[in-house]
Amino acid sequence: MTEIRAIIADDEALLRQFLRARLSEVWPELIISGEAQNGEQALDLIERHHPHIAFLDIRMPGLTGMEVADKIAGACRVVFVTAYDAYAVEAFDKEAVDYLLKPVSNERLQKTVIRLKEGLETGAAVPVETLRRLMIRISDEGGSRRLRYVRIHEGDGVRLVPVDEVIYFKAQDKYTLVITQDGESLIRKSIRELAGELDPERFWQIHRGTIVNVGSIDRVSRSLTGKGVIRLKGCSDTLTVSNRHMHLFRQM
């Protein structure tokens, strides 16, 4: 086989460019046949170009990466690319199906390339059943997938901020303020959505509009009016705990 083709699907243009650039470094002979910004476009590219490999973001508008993989039914090798941490990373590693976490490092991508080349050179069948089994497992245990990065839009670019660096999240109409040591940024996601994606062991919702990183809490006290007040490490802001959520601190 002299020519290997791939497509890249991600709803963030800069992340597609980032992956294309990394691939050009670790696999310069690879031909990127096209890029898609949603699941439907990815499916169309695969049907038109018959690539050997599809790099699919898991969360895309319309069809998700997993839904696209299910529809193509082994037509090409699939590498999932996602911002979500999961036990599935180990599972995919063990069962020889690839799964990359953003931002993708050259070292990790190099391992993926070696695995893909070995499969293509030996002509080993695309592991459809393994892929499908793992997709079902991920869907069944979706609660174990946790957000690792938030996407901060800056001008025409996107910055990935690890959630570990976030001090707290605060609702701002339909958006959310992300407060870190470097300042605050606005993201296009509601507090309600974030609450379902963050690790509840590390991020506590202390008010209808506030989620705090537990590791950033310095101390909790009562105000003169009896409300819970959180003081933070490395941040002069104070946060109010609603009565509904004070139970989180009763055992501290």
Side-chain angles (χ1 to χ4, degrees), residues 37-227:
Q37 59 184 2
N38 56 53
E40 286 84 357
Q41 288 182 6
L43 201 57
D44 180 62
L45 282 177
I46 293 168
E47 290 174 348
R48 287 192 290 118
H49 295 287
H50 304 288
H52 301 90
I53 306 158
F55 293 91
L56 303 176
D57 184 18
I58 285 188
R59 290 200 171 189
M60 292 186 289
L63 298 173
T64 66
M66 290 200 293
E67 288 170 333
V68 172
D70 195 36
K71 286 183 177 296
I72 63 176
C76 65
R77 293 168 196 280
V78 170
V79 178
F80 289 125
V81 187
T82 181
Y84 292 81
D85 198 356
Y87 73 93
V89 177
E90 294 181 6
F92 272 87
D93 279 345
K94 290 176 182 175
E95 301 197 41
V97 178
D98 276 301
Y99 187 114
L100 297 171
L101 287 174
K102 300 174 183 176
V104 180
S105 68
N106 276 17
E107 181 181 7
R108 180 63 182 85
L109 188 58
Q110 184 68 58
K111 293 179 180 177
T112 300
V113 169
I114 291 172
R115 184 174 300 166
L116 287 167
K117 284 182 175 179
E118 287 176 350
L120 290 166
E121 287 172 3
T122 61
V126 177
V128 179
E129 289 307 317
T130 299
L131 182 62
R132 182 162 290 143
R133 187 168 60 252
L134 291 170
M135 287 163 55
I136 292 171
R137 194 186 307 172
I138 290 172
S139 298
D140 289 346
E141 301 186 27
S144 67
R145 289 175 287 153
R146 300 303 174 196
L147 189 66
R148 298 175 72 237
Y149 297 89
V150 289
R151 298 175 182 182
I152 308 291
H153 289 257
E154 294 180 335
D156 59 353
V158 176
R159 180 164 56 94
L160 294 179
V161 175
V163 294
D164 290 343
E165 296 180 6
V166 176
I167 298 173
Y168 68 94
F169 297 96
K170 189 172 184 61
Q172 188 77 34
D173 296 325
K174 295 180 180 178
Y175 302 101
T176 299
L177 277 175
V178 181
I179 290 81
T180 68
Q181 293 282 2
D182 297 328
E184 62 181 46
S185 307
L186 199 62
I187 61 172
R188 302 168 184 169
K189 182 171 288 193
S190 69
I191 278 285
R192 184 175 181 179
E193 290 177 276
L194 281 169
E197 297 176 347
L198 293 165
D199 183 349
E201 296 292 326
R202 299 164 62 193
F203 288 88
W204 289 355
Q205 185 155 13
I206 56 169
H207 192 277
R208 184 174 59 184
T210 312
I211 297 174
V212 65
N213 184 334
V214 178
S216 296
I217 296 175
D218 182 29
R219 61 193 173 93
V220 184
S221 58
R222 290 274 189 184
S223 69
L224 293 176
T225 59
K227 290 186 177 297

Side-chain angles (χ1 to χ4, degrees), residues 30-41:
L30 181 68
I31 297 172
I32 304 299
S33 301
E35 295 182 11
Q37 59 184 2
N38 56 53
E40 286 84 357
Q41 288 182 6

Side-chain angles (χ1 to χ4, degrees), residues 233-246:
K233 299 173 185 173
C235 179
S236 60
D237 296 349
T238 57
L239 304 177
T240 300
V241 186
S242 70
N243 290 333
R244 178 184 176 188
H245 296 96
M246 274 304 290

